[in-house]
Amino acid sequence: MITSTLTIQKYHLEYLRKVLIREDEAERKAYVLCGQAFIRSVPWSRQPHHKFISYEILEDESISYLQNHSLKTDSFFQALDLAQAKDLTVAIFCYFPKSLANFSTQDDVSEKTLLELVHERNGLKNQLLSVILTSEGKLAGRLWLNQQEYTPLSIIRVVGESIQLHYPGRGKGISAPALHRQALALGDILNQDLSMLRIGIVGCGGTGSAVAMLLPKMGVRQIALFDKDDVEDTNLNRLHGASQSDADAKRPKVEVIAQSLAALGLGIEVKPYQTWIGEPEYRDALKACDLVFGCTDDHSGRLMLNRFAYYYATPVFDMGLAIEVSQGDPPEIEVLDGRVTVLAPKHTCLLCRSIINPVKAREESLNRNNPAEYERQKAEAYVLGEGNPRPAVVIFTTNVAIMAVEELIHRLQGFRGEGGAAAQRVRKFKLMEERRQGANPNPHCPICGTSEVWGRGDITPFLDQLE
């Protein structure tokens, strides 16, 4: 059985509300072109999945008044032509002022006719999305597979400075006893929302293992772990869930953490992947995630996630810890900063914030794909090579992980109040200060300086990068 979901960029939804919901309370429809992530097998369900992402809203002239739930076909043909040219899927957003978030029999008839036009004009492989928008702010939708069959959108995500979820039964769930006290502080709906999310953790070291241990205790039930490394003795001072026997056996980090999460007995479904995040065979698992915690310390991994966040409108909470010490004995801490940066459309990317070093990313990629050539270039000083081990202290790596999870909780629940979202937070542990750091995108940045790739979804090559 195929399932389907939709991600709407928040600024797209704000525009749709503006043009569809007006004082005259007339019924209206608008067309949105959507990118797509096709997932052959979702790790948790083992089912194929279509994830659609809002990419482009057609201009005001495409907003159509409805008469008896019908609309002019010329504007629909315009939408189909653009979708065909850009390899996108047409979504119809419908506003019915007196309607609940349900489709009527009349909707069924009219949309079957529209799907027939889709197939005649753009080919049988093309599909049609239909979404209802209510004046109360609710969203519900479905994907037409053929003229006899549709599948409801199991969840609609609205992604921006906040993360809003729309799904059947939202607000009707009852928190598990283990989460009762959390519900007293933050509400039952947050617990229900967290249980619906599929979360990826890229990098399972000091920050990643801490995030992994925190999420189930907050109510997350589906987690994917990505890390290619084994447990070593030097990891044990900060790797949550690992023991000396794990280091002695050189067990994969993802397996150790997955075992620790399963032992919590909270019904967690963990999928461990011992891999570098850029490997093609693991893309389905990454694309199946609703959001990602970026806990890797390599520049090439960050570079890939930096693009992924925008192409798939999937929030990435990237984090890092900078510790600089003097050469004395004992050393003196000169810099001790924890950072959390959120990547998503309308947010400034890691390249524009100078967090990623493209030269180091290239060297890491060379070392991974062609170790012999990397060693040759290092010997001839064409690449810098590895430096000394970086300092790491568990209380600070864990603190950064808490900062990242806290940012997610605010974006879901809003406990900080309006304007509380932080695109980048830096905690200066030595100075006992915290700063919200702004940054403007480089207008020439192909990732965050233009909306051209936001929500584009699957393209070849993946993320428009050379394979």
Side-chain angles (χ1 to χ4, degrees), residues 399-462:
N399 202 297
V400 174
I402 292 171
M403 289 170 60
V405 176
E406 178 191 328
E407 185 65 30
L408 168 63
I409 299 307
H410 167 73
R411 290 183 178 234
L412 285 168
Q413 194 267 356
F415 70 90
R416 295 186 195 133
E418 188 174 352
Q424 178 158 297
R425 293 169 63 197
V426 172
R427 183 165 294 169
K428 293 185 169 291
F429 295 102
K430 182 176 179 180
L431 302 178
M432 293 189 294
E433 295 178 0
E434 184 164 306
R435 301 173 185 176
R436 292 171 64 171
Q437 296 180 329
N440 293 321
N442 181 332
H444 303 293
C445 176
I447 304 302
C448 67
T450 172
S451 62
E452 185 176 344
V453 303
W454 301 353
R456 191 63 185 84
D458 290 342
I459 60 171
T460 302
F462 182 64

Side-chain angles (χ1 to χ4, degrees), residues 20-36:
L20 292 179
I21 305 176
R22 303 186 188 179
E23 291 183 359
D24 61 9
E25 288 293 293
E27 298 179 354
R28 289 183 173 86
K29 289 188 179 182
Y31 302 117
V32 178
L33 303 183
C34 296
Q36 180 182 176

Side-chain angles (χ1 to χ4, degrees), residues 341-413:
T341 306
V342 183
L343 306 175
K346 291 283 185 178
H347 291 58
T348 303
C349 77
L350 295 179
L351 283 167
C352 291
R353 289 184 179 273
S354 300
I355 291 171
I356 295 174
N357 184 326
V359 175
K360 289 185 178 179
R362 182 190 67 82
E363 293 173 0
E364 291 166 355
S365 179
L366 179 64
N367 188 25
R368 186 172 54 253
N369 297 319
N370 192 342
E373 177 62 15
Y374 173 81
E375 291 298 329
R376 186 191 69 78
Q377 292 192 22
K378 185 170 72 171
E380 297 180 10
Y382 287 113
V383 299
L384 298 177
E386 300 84 356
N388 294 324
R390 282 171 284 191
V393 182
V394 67
I395 57 173
F396 301 121
T397 55
T398 302
N399 202 297
V400 174
I402 292 171
M403 289 170 60
V405 176
E406 178 191 328
E407 185 65 30
L408 168 63
I409 299 307
H410 167 73
R411 290 183 178 234
L412 285 168
Q413 194 267 356

Side-chain angles (χ1 to χ4, degrees), residues 73-93:
T73 56
D74 55 351
S75 57
F76 187 61
F77 286 156
Q78 177 193 4
L80 290 180
D81 290 343
L82 287 170
Q84 182 82 329
K86 298 182 178 183
D87 194 22
L88 299 168
T89 299
V90 174
I92 303 175
F93 276 70

Side-chain angles (χ1 to χ4, degrees), residues 22-71:
R22 303 186 188 179
E23 291 183 359
D24 61 9
E25 288 293 293
E27 298 179 354
R28 289 183 173 86
K29 289 188 179 182
Y31 302 117
V32 178
L33 303 183
C34 296
Q36 180 182 176
F38 178 67
I39 300 156
R40 293 181 298 274
S41 177
V42 172
W44 299 275
S45 67
R46 300 298 181 189
Q47 294 177 336
H49 182 78
H50 286 287
K51 179 189 285 188
F52 294 92
I53 314 118
S54 69
Y55 176 74
E56 179 182 358
I57 301 175
L58 302 192
E59 295 301 325
D60 282 357
E61 57 265 24
S62 71
I63 306 301
S64 303
Y65 282 93
L66 287 166
Q67 295 180 346
N68 298 322
H69 286 244
S70 64
L71 68 161

